[in-house]
Amino acid sequence: MSHTIRNLREVEDVAPKFGFDAMQEARFPRQELGARDTGLALHSIKPGVRGVPHRHQHAEEVYVVLRGHGHVKLDDELVEIGPYDAIRVAPTVARAFAAGDEGLEILVFGPHHERDGEMLESEGFWS
């Protein structure tokens, strides 16, 4: 098939499967879209929540803030972000998001590399 259309809100929220449902919703529609090489995610971070940091070995990612305000921490740099900010992150940079009072909704794009992500310890990352 030459194209696929899916509503991102109708894609399964996998955050509960990984114990992150108190923090956010996480939807990864790659398979539903039939995408082989492109990764895509929709993250809705709850108000006042600091996310779990992660990094990749190979995948460069671009994050686009759709709604809300907050911060992104990139290794040791903390940056304020808001609607329509686009953030490109090199693979090995540790990254995590913190939502402001109204929460934070982020769309993520990048190449798909199987088992490329590494979750990091939150303790100490945000200090």
Side-chain angles (χ1 to χ4, degrees), residues 4 6-8 11 26-33 35 37-43 61-62 64 66 106-113:
T4 311
R6 295 289 182 270
N7 184 294
L8 296 179
V11 173
R27 301 170 195 279
F28 297 89
R30 187 178 63 82
Q31 290 180 330
E32 286 89 341
L33 289 169
D37 302 320
T38 305
L40 174 66
L42 176 64
H43 295 282
E61 292 182 314
V62 175
V64 179
L66 299 177
I106 302 169
L107 197 56
V108 187
F109 301 89
H112 175 72
H113 295 281

Side-chain angles (χ1 to χ4, degrees), residues 7 15 20 23-24 43 48 52 59 81 90 95 102 105 112:
N7 184 294
F20 293 122
M23 300 165 60
Q24 68 176 26
H43 295 282
V52 176
I81 56 173
R95 79 287 312 258
E102 69 271 10
E105 189 169 62
H112 175 72

Side-chain angles (χ1 to χ4, degrees), residues 12 36 43 49 60 62 87 89 109 116 122-123:
E12 178 186 11
R36 291 185 303 254
H43 295 282
V49 169
E60 173 184 71
V62 175
I87 305 116
V89 183
F109 301 89
D116 184 50
S122 290
E123 195 166 318

Side-chain angles (χ1 to χ4, degrees), residues 4-79:
T4 311
I5 299 172
R6 295 289 182 270
N7 184 294
L8 296 179
R9 291 276 175 218
E10 294 174 2
V11 173
E12 178 186 11
D13 172 16
V14 297
K17 288 183 179 178
F18 298 99
F20 293 122
D21 49 321
M23 300 165 60
Q24 68 176 26
E25 292 179 9
R27 301 170 195 279
F28 297 89
R30 187 178 63 82
Q31 290 180 330
E32 286 89 341
L33 289 169
R36 291 185 303 254
D37 302 320
T38 305
L40 174 66
L42 176 64
H43 295 282
S44 299
I45 304 169
K46 295 184 180 183
V49 169
R50 289 180 173 173
V52 176
H54 78 283
R55 65 178 160 221
H56 295 276
Q57 289 183 330
H58 304 288
E60 173 184 71
E61 292 182 314
V62 175
Y63 297 82
V64 179
V65 178
L66 299 177
R67 124 186 121 67
H69 291 85
H71 292 88
V72 60
K73 186 159 187 211
L74 305 164
D75 284 334
D76 294 325
E77 185 179 358
L78 187 65
V79 180

Side-chain angles (χ1 to χ4, degrees), residues 87-99:
I87 305 116
R88 183 203 59 87
V89 183
T92 59
V93 174
R95 79 287 312 258
F97 291 84

